[in-house]
Amino acid sequence: EAQVTQNPRYLITVTGKKLTVTCSQNMNHEYMSWYRQDPGLGLRQIYYSMNVEVTDKGDVPEGYKVSRKEKRNFPLILESPSPNQTSLYFCASSPLTSGSEETQYFGPGTRLLVL
Amino acid sequence: DQQVKQNSPSLSVQEGRISILNCDYTNSMFDYFLWYKKYPAEGPTFLISISSIKDKNEDGRFTVFLNKSAKHLSLHIVPSQPGDSAVYFCAASLGYNFNKFYFGSGTKLNVKP
């Protein structure tokens, strides 16, 4: 089954304790992206990657890191989480086909609480 | 400041009637627009899209209209069904090659039986 998986689905942590949220897709997609969803703000893009070893900042990259060492994986790293990073996080992937109507496939989300 | 805005947080419609969800944007460089549907505890799923060279795109019960001069797009669902009850996000992109995306805050649609 074609899908985007995220782990963990729920996470409670404390300020300053490094954490990683994993994202994996089995569709051989070039493009992957991370978003956070907050009430009243919708989804905001954190980072995206056009291919292996190619990453770039989205709208709200501060406090986050990503890496793309393999095509299927795109982990989101919070080196020193703070309470304002409490949010619902979504990973997404897409084939890079210019001009097509292909779109992003989203994972189920990771709910993070930073105390 | 948000570049894509959905000013109606919620909308309630009777089953069988038309649902109209609206979205405004500020960046005239956006050239691709999408609508996503989101059920609770799930990720968003793609619904329909439109490029800036078109003013209408239709897929079954769903039609998206784009008014570039007004920087406005709308999603029409006809006829609305209870299964359409979800949060709808509009999104805009600065390029066909899928790099940066900007989402609205969402509109929660409730279709009453």
Side-chain angles (χ1 to χ4, degrees):
Chain A
E1 179 191 354
Q3 60 183 350
V4 178
T5 56
Q6 296 178 227
N7 283 293
R9 294 289 313 277
Y10 303 92
L11 180 60
I12 301 174
T13 189
V14 295
T15 298
K17 186 176 182 181
K18 181 179 178 180
L19 66 92
T20 299
V21 184
T22 64
C23 173
S24 183
Q25 50 96 1
N26 63 0
M27 296 169 279
N28 202 36
H29 286 167
E30 286 83 5
Y31 180 93
M32 296 186 76
S33 184
W34 275 103
Y35 296 86
R36 60 179 288 176
Q37 183 188 356
D38 301 290
L41 297 175
L43 282 83
R44 292 179 293 166
Q45 193 170 29
I46 304 171
Y47 270 95
Y48 63 94
S49 169
M50 304 288 273
N51 214 324
V52 174
E53 303 292 1
V54 180
T55 63
D56 210 343
K57 295 177 181 178
D59 224 18
V60 288
E62 298 78 18
Y64 304 94
K65 284 176 58 178
V66 293
S67 69
R68 188 90 181 274
K69 293 183 169 51
E70 306 165 283
K71 199 171 187 181
R72 63 181 292 127
N73 296 322
F74 190 44
L76 179 70
I77 303 155
L78 284 72
E79 294 268 2
S80 183
S82 62
N84 65 13
Q85 292 178 296
T86 292
S87 187
L88 178 57
Y89 291 87
F90 290 101
C91 179
S93 73
S94 175
L96 270 180
T97 47
S98 175
S100 81
E101 300 206 341
E102 284 288 351
T103 184
Q104 296 180 79
Y105 297 83
F106 282 82
T110 294
R111 189 166 290 281
L112 172 65
L113 172 61
V114 183
L115 300 173
Chain B
D1 195 26
Q2 279 193 282
Q3 298 189 54
V4 177
K5 294 180 182 178
Q6 293 175 256
N7 293 316
S8 298
S10 64
L11 175 67
S12 189
V13 170
Q14 203 67 36
E15 181 179 5
R17 305 295 290 268
I18 185 172
S19 295
I20 300 176
L21 294 91
N22 294 304
C23 179
D24 298 295
Y25 61 95
T26 57
N27 191 338
S28 58
M29 298 300 289
F30 287 145
D31 59 4
Y32 199 59
F33 303 88
L34 311 95
W35 284 94
Y36 286 85
K37 180 166 74 171
K38 185 183 179 304
Y39 292 118
E42 295 182 10
T45 55
F46 171 72
L47 196 55
I48 192 169
S49 62
I50 188 168
S51 75
S52 59
I53 61 172
K54 296 182 179 179
D55 55 19
K56 178 182 173 181
N57 188 27
E58 206 168 342
D59 183 3
R61 297 185 297 113
F62 303 92
T63 303
V64 57
F65 295 91
L66 176 61
N67 182 334
K68 288 187 289 293
S69 60
K71 296 193 183 71
H72 177 82
L73 65 156
S74 61
L75 174 68
H76 292 210
I77 307 173
V78 184
S80 301
Q81 299 173 353
D84 296 329
S85 297
V87 177
Y88 290 78
F89 292 99
C90 73
S93 169
L94 283 166
Y96 267 38
N97 283 332
F98 293 102
N99 37 45
K100 297 184 80 166
F101 284 84
Y102 299 85
F103 281 75
S105 54
T107 296
K108 186 174 184 179
L109 174 65
N110 178 32
V111 180
K112 296 176 288 187

